[in-house]
Amino acid sequence: MCQDDAVQMFPPFSHIYVERQAMESPQTARILEHFPSGTVVPVRHYKDLFNRGRQRPELQRQSPSLVLARKTGTLLYPGAPVCQSFGNEHFYYTSLAMNCLFDCDYCFLKGMYPSGHMVVFVNLEDYVRELETLLAEHPVYLCVSYDTDLCAIESWTGYVEAFHALIRNHPGLTVEVRTKAACTGLLRRLEPEPGMIFAFTLSPQVVIDACEHRTPSLRQRLETVRTGLQAGHRIRLCFDPMLLIPDWETAYAEMLDCILEILGPDGLRRVQDVSIGSFRIAAGYLKPLRHQAPESAVIQYPFCVENGYAQYPDAVREGMETRMMSMLAPYLVPEQIFRWKE
């Protein structure tokens, strides 16, 4: 039986591969304790499993394995041009895990990684050391949840809480945690910190149903946003990526109606800011992404390639993003609205 057939026979994380150099990590012990029935398999290096050829990630995601590893080399990277810096000069991101519990058709991870399995790096102490070296030179705006949804795996990694604790002793550090998770318990448990921003990606429910598989509904995300606002957390709303779907304008207007219903106009005004951007992806990721989602109309769209990025034509981008800005304008001041620019 080939592995891609066998992958469908097991529940998610029934097999946990652990690098030998990660075996003694306290973080490894914590994660393994969370999955007591998982079969633990020692491996030499996570890339032996994750980077091998001829994988079928679309099948692997049906019942992924978990890989625990130590990441070496550079651990913090300058923010990519495709991402928003929100006016921060020293903008960085880091990858504490690779791949995600959620399964969004348009996710760039599917074009970037050859595997559907999930890797979690357990050497958080090394990340902290590299971060402290940067902080000795200048303030740091750090995005920690680009290559996974950390809030979705917080119950067994504790990484969001670890960064929350780190902020208290590092006044030059600001951490953004991007998420689609309904993490109300986490937001109730953590004290608000000026240096931590929870950024919630919001989509019309029709997009969630069609493209954002395994994710919470729009209402669930908004109820989590409301919890965060009531608790005093800094909250960002991300209308990014906007997707060109049939009757998109109605879909995004209905999304705004839902936001106003659950948060109220005053609640919307209390968010720190919002980000707006239409779908874009590094051009090299588009072909493997399309291969994994051949029936997804949002991915099969004939994008334009400009400066190495696949995106909608200028007129389409302009129409979608300016319409979203105009819908939000009655509730927010201009300084609260960030639109992605190349």
Side-chain angles (χ1 to χ4, degrees):
M1 179 181 294
C2 72
Q3 184 178 9
D4 288 335
D5 291 331
V7 76
Q8 300 181 65
M9 298 177 60
F10 302 105
F13 301 161
S14 62
H15 288 70
I16 303 175
Y17 297 84
V18 183
E19 281 185 346
R20 290 185 174 88
Q21 62 177 346
M23 279 288 189
E24 302 304 318
S25 166
Q27 183 66 12
T28 295
R30 171 183 174 147
I31 294 172
L32 292 180
E33 185 177 352
H34 191 85
F35 299 102
S37 61
T39 299
V40 178
V41 182
V43 294
R44 183 191 66 86
H45 195 280
Y46 80 89
K47 291 183 180 180
D48 295 343
L49 180 77
F50 194 77
N51 286 11
R52 61 187 178 79
R54 302 176 64 86
Q55 296 188 73
R56 294 285 301 279
E58 68 276 16
L59 294 180
Q60 292 168 338
R61 273 190 294 273
Q62 296 177 22
S63 53
S65 296
L66 178 62
V67 187
L68 305 182
R70 295 182 63 87
K71 189 170 178 62
T72 59
T74 301
L75 303 177
L76 278 67
Y77 313 94
V82 75
C83 303
Q84 294 210 42
S85 68
F86 298 94
N88 292 279
E89 180 181 0
H90 303 293
F91 167 39
Y92 293 83
Y93 78 97
T94 192
S95 179
L96 291 153
M98 299 194 299
N99 278 333
C100 185
L101 287 184
F102 301 142
D103 184 18
C104 300
D105 287 352
Y106 56 79
C107 183
F108 73 96
L109 300 176
K110 295 181 178 180
M112 185 166 67
Y113 295 141
S115 178
H117 299 313
M118 175 178 277
V119 177
V120 172
F121 297 111
V122 298
N123 53 319
L124 183 60
E125 66 280 3
D126 295 328
Y127 289 78
V128 172
R129 278 193 288 269
E130 187 167 322
L131 176 58
E132 289 176 334
T133 299
L134 284 175
L135 285 167
E137 301 173 3
H138 50 65
V140 173
Y141 180 83
L142 180 64
C143 295
V144 298
S145 195
Y146 277 174
D147 293 350
T148 193
D149 192 313
L150 282 183
C151 288
I153 61 175
E154 177 66 9
S155 64
W156 44 275
T157 66
Y159 281 165
V160 175
E161 194 159 356
F163 275 101
H164 180 268
L166 190 66
I167 286 168
R168 295 177 181 175
N169 298 318
H170 297 81
L173 174 62
T174 301
V175 172
E176 186 213 69
V177 184
R178 185 72 60 95
T179 186
K180 295 175 182 172
C183 51
T184 54
L186 176 65
L187 294 180
R188 290 192 183 107
R189 187 170 70 252
L190 296 181
E191 291 291 328
E193 283 288 344
M196 179 163 276
I197 302 168
F198 288 94
F200 289 85
T201 299
L202 301 181
S203 301
Q205 188 59 48
V206 64
V207 170
I208 295 171
D209 291 341
C211 305
E212 298 181 0
H213 314 294
R214 304 177 193 157
T215 67
S217 68
L218 175 60
R219 297 188 71 88
Q220 288 173 312
R221 297 183 207 180
L222 289 170
E223 286 162 2
T224 305
V225 168
R226 182 173 60 188
T227 296
L229 290 171
Q230 291 171 345
H233 292 287
R234 295 175 70 185
I235 300 294
R236 169 173 293 145
L237 304 183
C238 302
F239 306 103
D240 186 358
M242 293 184 68
L243 298 176
L244 184 63
I245 60 173
D247 202 11
W248 65 267
E249 191 169 349
T250 297
Y252 281 90
E254 290 174 349
M255 176 187 67
L256 181 57
D257 289 342
C258 190
I259 292 170
L260 293 171
E261 175 193 342
I262 294 176
L263 302 185
D266 289 342
L268 180 52
R269 292 186 183 98
R270 284 168 51 208
V271 303
Q272 171 174 295
D273 51 38
V274 304
S275 69
I276 297 171
S278 52
F279 177 81
R280 59 209 179 272
I281 191 171
Y285 297 161
L286 188 58
K287 183 176 179 180
L289 179 60
R290 283 174 163 167
H291 179 74
Q292 295 180 53
E295 298 179 0
S296 175
V298 299
I299 295 304
Q300 302 302 328
Y301 182 90
F303 298 103
C304 299
V305 177
E306 300 177 13
N307 301 321
Y309 293 98
Q311 50 195 338
Y312 296 124
D314 290 346
V316 173
R317 297 201 327 260
E318 184 69 19
M320 294 177 68
E321 294 172 13
T322 56
R323 179 59 184 136
M324 192 73 230
M325 292 174 68
S326 70
M327 287 193 289
L328 291 167
Y331 309 99
L332 302 171
V333 298
E335 292 76 17
Q336 287 177 288
I337 301 176
F338 288 84
R339 181 182 174 190
W340 177 78
K341 295 288 186 182
E342 292 184 74

